[in-house]
Amino acid sequence: MYNNRIPDLNRRAFMKRAAAIAGLGAAAPIALNLASVGEAAAMDATDYKAIVCCFFYGGNDYANTVIPYDLPNYDLYSAIRGGASGRQRGGVALGHSELDGTVLTTLTPQTLTNDIRYALAPELTGVASLFNTGHAAIQLNVGPLVVPLTLAQYQSNSKAYPQPPKLFSHNDQSSIWQSLGSEGATVGWGGRMGDLAMASNGQSLMTCISASGNAVFVSGNDTLQYQISTDGAVPIWPAKGWVFGSSETSTLLKQLITEPRSHVMENAFNVVTKRSMDMEAIVNAALDPVTLTTHFDQTNDFAKQFEIVARLIAARNALGTKRQVFFVSIGGFDNHDGLMTNHPKLMATFNSAITSFYNATVELGVANKVTTFTASDFGRTLAYNGDGSDHGWGSHHFVIGGAVKGGQFYGTAPHISLETDDQVGQGRLLPSTAVDQMAATLGRWFGLSGSEITSVLPNIGNFATANLGFMG
Amino acid sequence: MEFQDTRPVAHPENRDEPVVSPQAVPAADSVQSSPLPGLGLLGALSVALAACGGGGGGSGGGSTGGGTTPTPVNYNYAPADAARFLLQAQFAFKDSDLAALNAKGYDGWLTAQFDTPANQTGVAWMNAQGHNIPTSDGNYFGSSPGDFMIWHALMTDTDQLRKRCALAVSEMMVASLNPFGGWWPSYVIAGYWDTLNAHVFGNFRTLLEQITLTPAVGAFLNTAGNLKEDPATGREPDENYAREVMQLFTIGLYELNIDGTPKTDLLGNKKETYTQSDISNLARVFTGYDWDWSKVTWTNVSWLDYDVPSTEFATSPMAFNADNHSMLEVKFLGVTIPANTPGPDALKIALDTLFNHPNVGPFFGRQMIQRLVTSNPSPAYVSRVAAKFNDNGSGVRGDLKAVWRAILLDDEARTLPTNNTAGKLREPMIRLAQFARTFDVYSTNGKWEIYDLSGSGWGIGQSPLRSPSVFNFFRPGYVPPQTAIAANGDVAPEFQLHNETTVAGFINFFTSVMQDGYGDVKPDYTAMMPNISNSQALLDWMNLHLSANQVSPATIALIKAAIDVHPIDASSTDFNKRDRICNCILLLMSCPEYLIQK
């Protein structure tokens, strides 16, 4: 049964944990009593951890992101994608020699389907380097699932084998990746993890933060998304004491835009405005002293999103935060057309941003406290439509950070084929790993107990394992 | 099913529309027969509405014929009611609009608006500005004139109802200027905007076809250059438009009842309208199209080693090339288009199929209600609008005039809600257009150089015709988390744009615009000057024009008290007078009673 409404387990878990902490007494060194506190343990540790969701809106073309490099598999890829003879680029296939600079080498030997070896998109030099040095892993063919599915089960359309709703649809699949529910869901799994972590933080609003627009990923049952601009919190200047020759207007403005209202929409509007004003001074005061020497490309909004995340992490002590969930995003991945022009630019942007971000976490001494994962609406077809690809399902994704057991592939590599039973037509991958499993693996690292993971990811029990291993 | 553009038709009986009060009907002997009996003509008669927006109990009676010697009319709507109507149907209003509304009545006013020729097209305006002349700074690759064009239209065009409705449709059948590359992006988006305006008072079927063939939609949703399958290489037709035309432009994801609620089976499961197979099949119909370069002339310019095309391709429907069109059989939504059906015929069958799907009325109607009136219309309201979509009363499906009329004249639109949940958040771009019109903005040089205002930290977080994706700026089903809206099971689409950054960015930006304008575009507060020393009169005027008096007397009293700390009289400086006006506007247009339009 597909369930996108979460029972109130996490609230209960929160209460239980709060009671356990209270029982320790003020003098108890919490970190020394982790094991005895049970569910309260990890999430209330004194260390810092952050998960960063890096979302590619539009559906990333997996096949030109993680690309077959060994010749037999490359040739299959090139044939399907319209590559030119002599292993030159053509159609939407990259040329083989273009991949020479981004070949992936696992830290320990790994044998994948049909002995496939991979390279990354030519622009992902920094990501390839992170992989090859063990700081990045690749989760192969992951996507929304309710239960594990074989092709025959998928094609049966039987209620015994439930499928995620509205496969191949942008808005629904991006919602499912973020919340496990289709469009209209109001609680994301990042937000649910935030619910469990919120009590660890001095400022609860600093738990779940979007440096992009409103995103369901960072909305919890209790945790609110806090939205921040790439330049930090934006003050509402006219409400800060004086405007148009009048302090009275400024004072009244602040009252009118923040006061509680009986009309629910008016109130909902003012609640956000009040939050904006309340947090602005706190956040900017904490950000002010932060200096990062790591360079972020200032012409690139995506890099600037990562930069403000890095700056907030740098301000973690001033803000009193121990556990944070961040959301950054970049659009433009829906390349039905112009794939060979547009996708490389997006890959270059991603490479620049994530490389700077990883370097910043090293600079801040938190490389092994911050884990970034990529996500996207869906993968795309392996088949091409002229100069692009169409909506798919499963995709390959990156997990990046010092705590990642990197230099390794996780999951099952799909065949390079339009025919095999690991895809549902035109190379739309049938996921062999569920988003829930990827989330559970991150959640375990973040500090969630087994029951907390179940509360956040109620379908996790449908899958063979809640730990894919990429976090050690 | 046949369809046709209809002329303004006799108004059929409709219990939701204003009815003529019996005592006002002229005596029978003074009535001549008329080929077009109806309220449109009755607007010229001495009639009165049974009640402002009420009239729900009537059973029609509108077909009383035309009069010969109409006596002067005044519907005498309460100002707040008239203003409320005008702020749903337009961006802003002038006192002359109030007079026209009182003279014609809601229904007659709509008829007059429908009959008003469209203003100058966006393309014509840009041409008059000289934007079609290639310049060495590469304007042929620039998109900014498209921004100037749309802001100018939203802020100044006099055919406001048409523009307001076209903007609403632009948020459902989305094409966005953002990703356009190549030649003349500003003309490509203007061609789309002009197409919307040309057909927004016509028939939905025509609108759907014309929008489908715009170069803008072709570029945005990849039908431009879409090629048939190629078994030799494995190439497949592009599926993007096939998917989005169903999911977003016409029928949506789930089968709907006429009231917009999803149909469910006995277990409560919703029924999906289409499958991936429907998409892959329909995709074949949309192959073979591309931008039409046949009317273009190419100009040699000194600074380039290639020629620059003229802009006609951007305003011509896409051209069809049979060589690139799939001739495979198409099976979708239960319809089979036989193999080897010529492309234009296949397109007709496909669009007819979508147009005649029972979802279109409630799917389109509900979203248009959301844009113009309220975020959470009752199922009955949706049902009444959808019924008008399905049959305008004369057997015509898809008559958009009937739809706009049904939306704006419905009881639920015309009755001020008294609960604490109804209404909608005013969109930022509409707030800015309203400000501009209410306070007489003008251009110092005629250029109207207002750029993309999508910036969130400085800007309004939204810019017309610049949706971030085909999913519009916000989704019709968006629910702001952890709010009473969510707890009530309601939606609030525009809240998807509202967050800690955008609210600050808007107020800061707007404060600057109030004071200094934006570039060459400046407000003119001259009309405020007669009331400048009378703060109550000033605020009353603004409250009516900005919110239809929906800002409460209590809030107005607070604002007055704050304003009155700084008395103004005729001898005050212009600077101080302007400050008073800006303080009033800032407080009114920032307060939640204004922001939530009821």
PDB file of all heavy atoms in Angstrom, chain B residues 38 80 109 129 133 140-141 171 189 193 230 319 348 364 367 377 382 405 407 428 440 482 501-503 557 564 596:
ATOM      1  N   GLY B  38     -31.477  40.049 -24.891  1.00  0.00           N
ATOM      2  CA  GLY B  38     -30.556  39.620 -23.841  1.00  0.00           C
ATOM      3  C   GLY B  38     -30.092  40.771 -23.008  1.00  0.00           C
ATOM      4  O   GLY B  38     -30.386  41.933 -23.267  1.00  0.00           O
ATOM      5  N   ALA B  80     -17.964  49.841  -3.204  1.00  0.00           N
ATOM      6  CA  ALA B  80     -17.084  48.721  -2.872  1.00  0.00           C
ATOM      7  C   ALA B  80     -17.402  47.500  -3.724  1.00  0.00           C
ATOM      8  O   ALA B  80     -16.499  46.758  -4.122  1.00  0.00           O
ATOM      9  CB  ALA B  80     -17.203  48.366  -1.386  1.00  0.00           C
ATOM     10  N   TRP B 109     -21.409  45.542 -19.066  1.00  0.00           N
ATOM     11  CA  TRP B 109     -20.017  46.003 -19.101  1.00  0.00           C
ATOM     12  C   TRP B 109     -19.116  44.933 -19.696  1.00  0.00           C
ATOM     13  O   TRP B 109     -18.257  45.222 -20.533  1.00  0.00           O
ATOM     14  CB  TRP B 109     -19.571  46.354 -17.671  1.00  0.00           C
ATOM     15  CG  TRP B 109     -18.182  46.904 -17.577  1.00  0.00           C
ATOM     16  CD1 TRP B 109     -17.786  48.205 -17.676  1.00  0.00           C
ATOM     17  CD2 TRP B 109     -16.974  46.143 -17.350  1.00  0.00           C
ATOM     18  NE1 TRP B 109     -16.421  48.314 -17.531  1.00  0.00           N
ATOM     19  CE2 TRP B 109     -15.899  47.073 -17.325  1.00  0.00           C
ATOM     20  CE3 TRP B 109     -16.696  44.794 -17.164  1.00  0.00           C
ATOM     21  CZ2 TRP B 109     -14.589  46.675 -17.115  1.00  0.00           C
ATOM     22  CZ3 TRP B 109     -15.383  44.390 -16.955  1.00  0.00           C
ATOM     23  CH2 TRP B 109     -14.342  45.334 -16.938  1.00  0.00           C
ATOM     24  N   GLN B 129       8.544  50.935 -31.406  1.00  0.00           N
ATOM     25  CA  GLN B 129       9.694  51.325 -30.589  1.00  0.00           C
ATOM     26  C   GLN B 129      11.018  51.138 -31.345  1.00  0.00           C
ATOM     27  O   GLN B 129      12.075  51.494 -30.822  1.00  0.00           O
ATOM     28  CB  GLN B 129       9.745  50.466 -29.315  1.00  0.00           C
ATOM     29  CG  GLN B 129       8.571  50.672 -28.373  1.00  0.00           C
ATOM     30  CD  GLN B 129       8.740  51.909 -27.525  1.00  0.00           C
ATOM     31  OE1 GLN B 129       9.834  52.196 -27.056  1.00  0.00           O
ATOM     32  NE2 GLN B 129       7.670  52.660 -27.328  1.00  0.00           N
ATOM     33  N   ILE B 133      14.687  46.674 -35.449  1.00  0.00           N
ATOM     34  CA  ILE B 133      15.837  47.102 -36.247  1.00  0.00           C
ATOM     35  C   ILE B 133      17.103  46.544 -35.608  1.00  0.00           C
ATOM     36  O   ILE B 133      17.393  46.851 -34.454  1.00  0.00           O
ATOM     37  CB  ILE B 133      15.952  48.645 -36.296  1.00  0.00           C
ATOM     38  CG1 ILE B 133      14.600  49.273 -36.666  1.00  0.00           C
ATOM     39  CG2 ILE B 133      17.065  49.077 -37.246  1.00  0.00           C
ATOM     40  CD1 ILE B 133      14.082  48.878 -38.024  1.00  0.00           C
ATOM     41  N   TYR B 140      18.819  41.428 -31.498  1.00  0.00           N
ATOM     42  CA  TYR B 140      18.122  40.280 -32.090  1.00  0.00           C
ATOM     43  C   TYR B 140      18.321  39.014 -31.260  1.00  0.00           C
ATOM     44  O   TYR B 140      17.646  38.025 -31.480  1.00  0.00           O
ATOM     45  CB  TYR B 140      18.616  40.049 -33.529  1.00  0.00           C
ATOM     46  CG  TYR B 140      20.081  40.397 -33.715  1.00  0.00           C
ATOM     47  CD1 TYR B 140      21.076  39.512 -33.341  1.00  0.00           C
ATOM     48  CD2 TYR B 140      20.449  41.657 -34.197  1.00  0.00           C
ATOM     49  CE1 TYR B 140      22.410  39.848 -33.475  1.00  0.00           C
ATOM     50  CE2 TYR B 140      21.783  42.013 -34.322  1.00  0.00           C
ATOM     51  CZ  TYR B 140      22.769  41.098 -33.961  1.00  0.00           C
ATOM     52  OH  TYR B 140      24.085  41.443 -34.062  1.00  0.00           O
ATOM     53  N   PHE B 141      19.243  39.031 -30.337  1.00  0.00           N
ATOM     54  CA  PHE B 141      19.386  37.904 -29.420  1.00  0.00           C
ATOM     55  C   PHE B 141      18.902  38.256 -28.005  1.00  0.00           C
ATOM     56  O   PHE B 141      19.024  37.471 -27.080  1.00  0.00           O
ATOM     57  CB  PHE B 141      20.848  37.433 -29.329  1.00  0.00           C
ATOM     58  CG  PHE B 141      21.389  36.873 -30.608  1.00  0.00           C
ATOM     59  CD1 PHE B 141      22.678  37.184 -31.022  1.00  0.00           C
ATOM     60  CD2 PHE B 141      20.614  36.030 -31.403  1.00  0.00           C
ATOM     61  CE1 PHE B 141      23.192  36.655 -32.207  1.00  0.00           C
ATOM     62  CE2 PHE B 141      21.111  35.509 -32.595  1.00  0.00           C
ATOM     63  CZ  PHE B 141      22.407  35.825 -32.994  1.00  0.00           C
ATOM     64  N   GLU B 171      -0.739  31.735 -17.504  1.00  0.00           N
ATOM     65  CA  GLU B 171      -0.262  31.019 -16.315  1.00  0.00           C
ATOM     66  C   GLU B 171      -0.751  29.572 -16.282  1.00  0.00           C
ATOM     67  O   GLU B 171      -0.490  28.852 -15.324  1.00  0.00           O
ATOM     68  CB  GLU B 171      -0.704  31.772 -15.054  1.00  0.00           C
ATOM     69  CG  GLU B 171      -0.103  33.172 -15.006  1.00  0.00           C
ATOM     70  CD  GLU B 171      -0.284  33.843 -13.661  1.00  0.00           C
ATOM     71  OE1 GLU B 171       0.357  33.407 -12.686  1.00  0.00           O
ATOM     72  OE2 GLU B 171      -1.074  34.792 -13.602  1.00  0.00           O
ATOM     73  N   ILE B 189       8.235  35.783 -27.817  1.00  0.00           N
ATOM     74  CA  ILE B 189       7.285  35.841 -26.699  1.00  0.00           C
ATOM     75  C   ILE B 189       6.142  36.799 -27.020  1.00  0.00           C
ATOM     76  O   ILE B 189       4.995  36.575 -26.614  1.00  0.00           O
ATOM     77  CB  ILE B 189       8.001  36.213 -25.374  1.00  0.00           C
ATOM     78  CG1 ILE B 189       7.157  35.743 -24.176  1.00  0.00           C
ATOM     79  CG2 ILE B 189       8.281  37.696 -25.255  1.00  0.00           C
ATOM     80  CD1 ILE B 189       7.045  34.262 -24.014  1.00  0.00           C
ATOM     81  N   TRP B 193       2.123  36.154 -26.743  1.00  0.00           N
ATOM     82  CA  TRP B 193       1.224  37.051 -26.011  1.00  0.00           C
ATOM     83  C   TRP B 193       0.118  37.572 -26.926  1.00  0.00           C
ATOM     84  O   TRP B 193      -1.063  37.604 -26.554  1.00  0.00           O
ATOM     85  CB  TRP B 193       2.043  38.199 -25.413  1.00  0.00           C
ATOM     86  CG  TRP B 193       1.252  39.298 -24.766  1.00  0.00           C
ATOM     87  CD1 TRP B 193       1.168  40.593 -25.173  1.00  0.00           C
ATOM     88  CD2 TRP B 193       0.449  39.200 -23.582  1.00  0.00           C
ATOM     89  NE1 TRP B 193       0.361  41.307 -24.310  1.00  0.00           N
ATOM     90  CE2 TRP B 193      -0.090  40.475 -23.325  1.00  0.00           C
ATOM     91  CE3 TRP B 193       0.131  38.148 -22.713  1.00  0.00           C
ATOM     92  CZ2 TRP B 193      -0.936  40.749 -22.241  1.00  0.00           C
ATOM     93  CZ3 TRP B 193      -0.712  38.410 -21.635  1.00  0.00           C
ATOM     94  CH2 TRP B 193      -1.231  39.691 -21.405  1.00  0.00           C
ATOM     95  N   ASP B 230      12.855   7.294 -36.191  1.00  0.00           N
ATOM     96  CA  ASP B 230      13.803   6.774 -37.175  1.00  0.00           C
ATOM     97  C   ASP B 230      14.260   5.407 -36.686  1.00  0.00           C
ATOM     98  O   ASP B 230      15.135   5.313 -35.816  1.00  0.00           O
ATOM     99  CB  ASP B 230      15.000   7.724 -37.314  1.00  0.00           C
ATOM    100  CG  ASP B 230      16.002   7.207 -38.337  1.00  0.00           C
ATOM    101  OD1 ASP B 230      15.810   6.077 -38.851  1.00  0.00           O
ATOM    102  OD2 ASP B 230      16.969   7.935 -38.620  1.00  0.00           O
ATOM    103  N   ALA B 319       5.488  26.155 -39.316  1.00  0.00           N
ATOM    104  CA  ALA B 319       5.267  25.521 -40.617  1.00  0.00           C
ATOM    105  C   ALA B 319       5.290  24.009 -40.459  1.00  0.00           C
ATOM    106  O   ALA B 319       5.985  23.471 -39.586  1.00  0.00           O
ATOM    107  CB  ALA B 319       6.354  25.960 -41.600  1.00  0.00           C
ATOM    108  N   LYS B 348      -5.815  17.984 -36.184  1.00  0.00           N
ATOM    109  CA  LYS B 348      -7.213  18.335 -35.916  1.00  0.00           C
ATOM    110  C   LYS B 348      -7.879  17.272 -35.046  1.00  0.00           C
ATOM    111  O   LYS B 348      -8.560  17.594 -34.054  1.00  0.00           O
ATOM    112  CB  LYS B 348      -7.974  18.488 -37.236  1.00  0.00           C
ATOM    113  CG  LYS B 348      -9.443  18.823 -37.032  1.00  0.00           C
ATOM    114  CD  LYS B 348     -10.180  19.024 -38.337  1.00  0.00           C
ATOM    115  CE  LYS B 348     -11.609  19.520 -38.097  1.00  0.00           C
ATOM    116  NZ  LYS B 348     -12.368  18.719 -37.153  1.00  0.00           N
ATOM    117  N   PHE B 364      -9.935  23.756 -16.802  1.00  0.00           N
ATOM    118  CA  PHE B 364      -9.643  25.139 -17.193  1.00  0.00           C
ATOM    119  C   PHE B 364     -10.434  26.116 -16.318  1.00  0.00           C
ATOM    120  O   PHE B 364      -9.892  27.102 -15.809  1.00  0.00           O
ATOM    121  CB  PHE B 364     -10.010  25.317 -18.675  1.00  0.00           C
ATOM    122  CG  PHE B 364      -9.871  26.718 -19.193  1.00  0.00           C
ATOM    123  CD1 PHE B 364      -8.628  27.260 -19.458  1.00  0.00           C
ATOM    124  CD2 PHE B 364     -10.998  27.503 -19.432  1.00  0.00           C
ATOM    125  CE1 PHE B 364      -8.500  28.557 -19.946  1.00  0.00           C
ATOM    126  CE2 PHE B 364     -10.881  28.798 -19.923  1.00  0.00           C
ATOM    127  CZ  PHE B 364      -9.619  29.321 -20.181  1.00  0.00           C
ATOM    128  N   GLN B 367      -9.085  26.673 -12.740  1.00  0.00           N
ATOM    129  CA  GLN B 367      -7.851  27.468 -12.670  1.00  0.00           C
ATOM    130  C   GLN B 367      -8.099  28.937 -13.004  1.00  0.00           C
ATOM    131  O   GLN B 367      -7.464  29.828 -12.430  1.00  0.00           O
ATOM    132  CB  GLN B 367      -6.789  26.876 -13.594  1.00  0.00           C
ATOM    133  CG  GLN B 367      -6.243  25.564 -13.056  1.00  0.00           C
ATOM    134  CD  GLN B 367      -5.066  25.061 -13.862  1.00  0.00           C
ATOM    135  OE1 GLN B 367      -4.082  25.759 -14.022  1.00  0.00           O
ATOM    136  NE2 GLN B 367      -5.180  23.863 -14.388  1.00  0.00           N
ATOM    137  N   PRO B 377     -12.579  27.768  -4.959  1.00  0.00           N
ATOM    138  CA  PRO B 377     -13.984  27.858  -5.348  1.00  0.00           C
ATOM    139  C   PRO B 377     -14.740  26.613  -4.908  1.00  0.00           C
ATOM    140  O   PRO B 377     -14.165  25.523  -4.856  1.00  0.00           O
ATOM    141  CB  PRO B 377     -13.912  27.948  -6.880  1.00  0.00           C
ATOM    142  CG  PRO B 377     -12.626  27.293  -7.246  1.00  0.00           C
ATOM    143  CD  PRO B 377     -11.677  27.611  -6.122  1.00  0.00           C
ATOM    144  N   VAL B 382     -17.388  25.783  -9.620  1.00  0.00           N
ATOM    145  CA  VAL B 382     -16.646  25.184 -10.730  1.00  0.00           C
ATOM    146  C   VAL B 382     -17.615  24.526 -11.703  1.00  0.00           C
ATOM    147  O   VAL B 382     -17.491  24.653 -12.928  1.00  0.00           O
ATOM    148  CB  VAL B 382     -15.625  24.158 -10.205  1.00  0.00           C
ATOM    149  CG1 VAL B 382     -14.939  23.443 -11.363  1.00  0.00           C
ATOM    150  CG2 VAL B 382     -14.593  24.829  -9.303  1.00  0.00           C
ATOM    151  N   ARG B 405     -17.632  35.242 -18.459  1.00  0.00           N
ATOM    152  CA  ARG B 405     -18.874  35.779 -17.907  1.00  0.00           C
ATOM    153  C   ARG B 405     -19.330  34.940 -16.712  1.00  0.00           C
ATOM    154  O   ARG B 405     -19.705  35.474 -15.660  1.00  0.00           O
ATOM    155  CB  ARG B 405     -19.950  35.766 -19.001  1.00  0.00           C
ATOM    156  CG  ARG B 405     -20.945  36.886 -18.940  1.00  0.00           C
ATOM    157  CD  ARG B 405     -22.037  36.713 -19.980  1.00  0.00           C
ATOM    158  NE  ARG B 405     -21.715  37.117 -21.333  1.00  0.00           N
ATOM    159  CZ  ARG B 405     -21.854  38.363 -21.806  1.00  0.00           C
ATOM    160  NH1 ARG B 405     -22.280  39.326 -21.025  1.00  0.00           N
ATOM    161  NH2 ARG B 405     -21.547  38.634 -23.049  1.00  0.00           N
ATOM    162  N   ILE B 407     -17.558  33.065 -14.797  1.00  0.00           N
ATOM    163  CA  ILE B 407     -16.638  33.216 -13.657  1.00  0.00           C
ATOM    164  C   ILE B 407     -16.938  34.501 -12.899  1.00  0.00           C
ATOM    165  O   ILE B 407     -17.052  34.505 -11.673  1.00  0.00           O
ATOM    166  CB  ILE B 407     -15.172  33.198 -14.150  1.00  0.00           C
ATOM    167  CG1 ILE B 407     -14.785  31.797 -14.610  1.00  0.00           C
ATOM    168  CG2 ILE B 407     -14.226  33.692 -13.046  1.00  0.00           C
ATOM    169  CD1 ILE B 407     -13.425  31.729 -15.292  1.00  0.00           C
ATOM    170  N   PRO B 428       2.297  39.129  -7.123  1.00  0.00           N
ATOM    171  CA  PRO B 428       3.176  40.304  -7.135  1.00  0.00           C
ATOM    172  C   PRO B 428       3.100  41.110  -8.422  1.00  0.00           C
ATOM    173  O   PRO B 428       3.059  42.346  -8.384  1.00  0.00           O
ATOM    174  CB  PRO B 428       4.570  39.689  -6.941  1.00  0.00           C
ATOM    175  CG  PRO B 428       4.313  38.441  -6.163  1.00  0.00           C
ATOM    176  CD  PRO B 428       2.988  37.922  -6.652  1.00  0.00           C
ATOM    177  N   ASP B 440      -1.021  56.316 -12.095  1.00  0.00           N
ATOM    178  CA  ASP B 440      -0.763  57.009 -13.360  1.00  0.00           C
ATOM    179  C   ASP B 440       0.706  56.996 -13.782  1.00  0.00           C
ATOM    180  O   ASP B 440       1.265  58.046 -14.127  1.00  0.00           O
ATOM    181  CB  ASP B 440      -1.246  58.473 -13.266  1.00  0.00           C
ATOM    182  CG  ASP B 440      -2.743  58.568 -13.032  1.00  0.00           C
ATOM    183  OD1 ASP B 440      -3.469  57.759 -13.637  1.00  0.00           O
ATOM    184  OD2 ASP B 440      -3.178  59.440 -12.241  1.00  0.00           O
ATOM    185  N   GLN B 482       2.105  23.638   7.160  1.00  0.00           N
ATOM    186  CA  GLN B 482       1.907  24.046   8.557  1.00  0.00           C
ATOM    187  C   GLN B 482       1.137  25.354   8.683  1.00  0.00           C
ATOM    188  O   GLN B 482       1.517  26.248   9.430  1.00  0.00           O
ATOM    189  CB  GLN B 482       3.247  24.166   9.275  1.00  0.00           C
ATOM    190  CG  GLN B 482       3.939  22.827   9.462  1.00  0.00           C
ATOM    191  CD  GLN B 482       5.179  22.940  10.303  1.00  0.00           C
ATOM    192  OE1 GLN B 482       5.137  23.550  11.362  1.00  0.00           O
ATOM    193  NE2 GLN B 482       6.267  22.371   9.850  1.00  0.00           N
ATOM    194  N   THR B 501      12.474  35.546   1.984  1.00  0.00           N
ATOM    195  CA  THR B 501      13.247  36.417   1.103  1.00  0.00           C
ATOM    196  C   THR B 501      12.330  37.255   0.209  1.00  0.00           C
ATOM    197  O   THR B 501      12.509  38.478   0.096  1.00  0.00           O
ATOM    198  CB  THR B 501      14.186  35.572   0.221  1.00  0.00           C
ATOM    199  OG1 THR B 501      15.077  34.851   1.070  1.00  0.00           O
ATOM    200  CG2 THR B 501      14.987  36.457  -0.722  1.00  0.00           C
ATOM    201  N   THR B 502      11.356  36.605  -0.422  1.00  0.00           N
ATOM    202  CA  THR B 502      10.544  37.348  -1.394  1.00  0.00           C
ATOM    203  C   THR B 502       9.716  38.431  -0.736  1.00  0.00           C
ATOM    204  O   THR B 502       9.489  39.481  -1.330  1.00  0.00           O
ATOM    205  CB  THR B 502       9.631  36.401  -2.189  1.00  0.00           C
ATOM    206  OG1 THR B 502       8.840  35.630  -1.286  1.00  0.00           O
ATOM    207  CG2 THR B 502      10.433  35.483  -3.089  1.00  0.00           C
ATOM    208  N   VAL B 503       9.253  38.180   0.496  1.00  0.00           N
ATOM    209  CA  VAL B 503       8.433  39.210   1.130  1.00  0.00           C
ATOM    210  C   VAL B 503       9.277  40.449   1.417  1.00  0.00           C
ATOM    211  O   VAL B 503       8.813  41.587   1.245  1.00  0.00           O
ATOM    212  CB  VAL B 503       7.743  38.676   2.409  1.00  0.00           C
ATOM    213  CG1 VAL B 503       8.731  38.356   3.519  1.00  0.00           C
ATOM    214  CG2 VAL B 503       6.708  39.679   2.901  1.00  0.00           C
ATOM    215  N   ALA B 557      -7.876  53.531  10.358  1.00  0.00           N
ATOM    216  CA  ALA B 557      -7.698  54.470  11.471  1.00  0.00           C
ATOM    217  C   ALA B 557      -6.256  54.452  11.971  1.00  0.00           C
ATOM    218  O   ALA B 557      -5.684  55.504  12.296  1.00  0.00           O
ATOM    219  CB  ALA B 557      -8.674  54.125  12.594  1.00  0.00           C
ATOM    220  N   ASP B 564      -1.115  61.252  10.199  1.00  0.00           N
ATOM    221  CA  ASP B 564      -1.455  62.580  10.713  1.00  0.00           C
ATOM    222  C   ASP B 564      -0.389  63.168  11.635  1.00  0.00           C
ATOM    223  O   ASP B 564      -0.437  64.355  11.968  1.00  0.00           O
ATOM    224  CB  ASP B 564      -2.802  62.519  11.448  1.00  0.00           C
ATOM    225  CG  ASP B 564      -3.971  62.441  10.468  1.00  0.00           C
ATOM    226  OD1 ASP B 564      -3.750  62.701   9.261  1.00  0.00           O
ATOM    227  OD2 ASP B 564      -5.090  62.109  10.908  1.00  0.00           O
ATOM    228  N   ILE B 596      -4.638  39.812   0.639  1.00  0.00           N
ATOM    229  CA  ILE B 596      -5.579  38.730   0.371  1.00  0.00           C
ATOM    230  C   ILE B 596      -6.838  39.352  -0.232  1.00  0.00           C
ATOM    231  O   ILE B 596      -7.595  40.041   0.440  1.00  0.00           O
ATOM    232  CB  ILE B 596      -5.920  37.949   1.649  1.00  0.00           C
ATOM    233  CG1 ILE B 596      -4.632  37.469   2.334  1.00  0.00           C
ATOM    234  CG2 ILE B 596      -6.836  36.773   1.308  1.00  0.00           C
ATOM    235  CD1 ILE B 596      -3.731  36.603   1.482  1.00  0.00           C
TER     236      ILE B 596
END
